Amino acid sequence: MKHRPSTLLLAALLAAACSRPSREAPAVERSAEVAEVAGAAAPAPPASPPPQKLKAVTRVGSALARAPQDDALYLADEDHAVLRRIPLPVDVSTPPVEIAMPGRPAQVLALADRVLVTIRDPGLLLILRPDPAAGLVEAARVPLPADAWGLAITPDERTALVTSAWAGKVSAVDLATATATWSIDVPREPRGVVIREDGAAAYVTHLTSASLTRIALGGAPEARPVALSPSPFRAPHGKSLSASLGYAAALSPDGRRLFVARHALGALGEQAWFGASTVDVLMTSDEAPLAPRRRQGAPLWRASALDDAAFDDAELELPNTSLAPFVQPRALVYRKSTRTLLVASEGTDTLVELDALAVDPALRPLRTYDLGRHAGPDIYVATLCGAPSGVALSADESMAWVFCRSTDALAIVRLDEHRDDAPFELSPVPYIALADAPVPQQAALGRKLFYNAVDWGTSGGLGCAGCHPDGRDDGHVWHEAHVMDIGGESVNFLGSAENQPFDVEPRGGVPRQTPMLAGRVSAEGPYGWNAQSENLAERLREGFGLHRWGPGGLGNGELALRARHLAAFLRAGLVPPPRDARKLTPQEEHGRALFMSDTAQCARCHVPETEHTDRMGYPMPGFAARPGFAEEKAGQVFKTPSLRFVGGTAPYYHDGSAKTLEELIDENQDRMGRTSHMSRNDKAALAAFLRTL
């Protein structure tokens, strides 16, 4: 009988592949041994720059920031729409000071004489100044494109760059005059932004793609994509993976390495139905990835999918790696004193420390700080620190403060208490409560579930927020496949066609893109791409099975209760994207007339009064099978999808086959309404109107 590799064997293989060298050796000198495991040539080491003094100034925004004077922490509390000032040292008897914001704050950056805050809706950059009496006073507010989110400043502290997530833009703000000097378009969901030490360029991460955006600074801004393949050691041979959850990036102190935390969709690994989280490294000298691709014939496990003789022929080739020690990376900071990275693992309620000198830091976990202190059988109820989403370091880097979003708490992690001879014997992490939940009790329980990836009954290793960040979508097309495993046949979502260790029928699975949730779930029902679920709670219960590998181990009563909690949060806690309340342009007005016309018939199914959908199922013939996916059944029924916020949810159709609205309309072939008769100008007008919904 064949057996799956044991945890001890995994540890031995991983240690052999990525053994930790001396701290004096630069990262590039170690790439040869890892490249040998990957089966690729090692990249040539770049020329070493002259030594420079490490700077203590933080120039990148986060949900949590320490003031340079070491007298306070500043917390951008999005869910309560306030900025919190937490005096240092943290004292439970001293409540934080709440400073009302004109909208939901996303990130804060504390400088010596100013505090900068991005506001999502309306899109703003607030410039605040310390005041002896009031604490902070507003010095200026700079209007920006909607959904202002990520924040960074240039080395001379004269210019701030701000990403606008929903608007898909990056803007520059002159801090001396408090004016926006330029704004440029970038791909979907820009989030994290960092600026190189020489000030010549900035790098932007995205929530829905693997590529970064590089913006040339110093003259007219110019944006171009930079390829950074996620988790190449876990990728199937010859394939570059997609990525999601690119919230955060960090530069090494010398600026030579850019670290990007995200999720590698379809990465190989045991029970990695969803892929694996990763930290990828880009060398800024030539903008090339540090980690090479795994070559065919490189060392592999040949692991039996099930320890059962009946399934001996069900095997999966895996790289010699485990899954990442974190799930849903939300925040990332570089710890200069130890040359390590700290990752806030939103899904597992942990803070994970990685070797920043490793070619693939996610394969070199050093220690895990458990923030949740789960104290009962219901993990999502009992956790004390849920959904860590912001990290700040003390000046000497011996302590980390972590914002726990789903429990409205601040965890205090004493990093210097770690002992190398006992890496897992850490003192319990203390925390302080910051506020009550911003939603009613049932929705508050659903809020914890939404981010949680360790409640096996609902998540199976990836929380709801792992595919629906901010209640939006990851831009990915999943494989919905019938799987034969130890519990019999089930239907599961799989990240890639290669990551299928069980018997899968039909081969590859049918394509299903991730739908947006925020602002689209107020109706009673039905739900599901095929209108198969009568109401939202029923759809969530079905989703518990689709979104995990194997049985969850909970009874129907427990699952039904969790579904009700989640449904309450999806309706009360998720915030829809900002909408621009303005008069339609002539082109958009023409598109609206076409949409409502009896000739086009768009509004017959996409009823404006009910989230632009009649929620009915209709047979949809004419979809060709996508490469790597199974063919749809003839006459398959699909529910009319909501068109609310459709302009920001590419790709389109259930299978993601249309990259843009223009392509959707042009290739429609009268399957949805009547568009074949339209002129090119009419089609452009209709697409323009759809973007206003």
Side-chain angles (χ1 to χ4, degrees), residues 594-606 672-674 677-678:
L594 291 169
F595 183 88
M596 300 299 297
S597 70
D598 291 335
T599 305
Q601 301 178 11
C602 303
R604 290 189 181 182
C605 299
H606 296 286
M672 302 180 300
R674 298 290 181 265
H677 67 284
M678 292 184 181

Side-chain angles (χ1 to χ4, degrees), residues 395-472:
D396 63 2
E397 298 189 329
S398 66
M399 181 180 296
W401 297 280
V402 183
F403 172 49
C404 314
R405 180 177 183 179
S406 72
T407 54
D408 303 295
L410 182 76
I412 305 167
V413 185
R414 295 180 175 87
L415 303 172
D416 56 357
E417 288 188 357
H418 169 76
R419 302 200 321 271
D420 288 336
D421 60 339
F424 301 108
E425 295 180 9
L426 304 174
S427 300
V429 175
Y431 74 100
I432 63 170
L434 299 173
D436 294 330
V439 290
Q441 182 179 6
Q442 187 178 46
L445 293 174
R447 181 186 184 213
K448 295 178 182 179
L449 272 174
F450 182 77
Y451 299 101
N452 190 281
V454 295
D455 180 72
W456 188 248
T458 58
S459 68
L462 191 70
C464 305
C467 297
H468 302 279
D470 276 353
R472 299 177 186 179

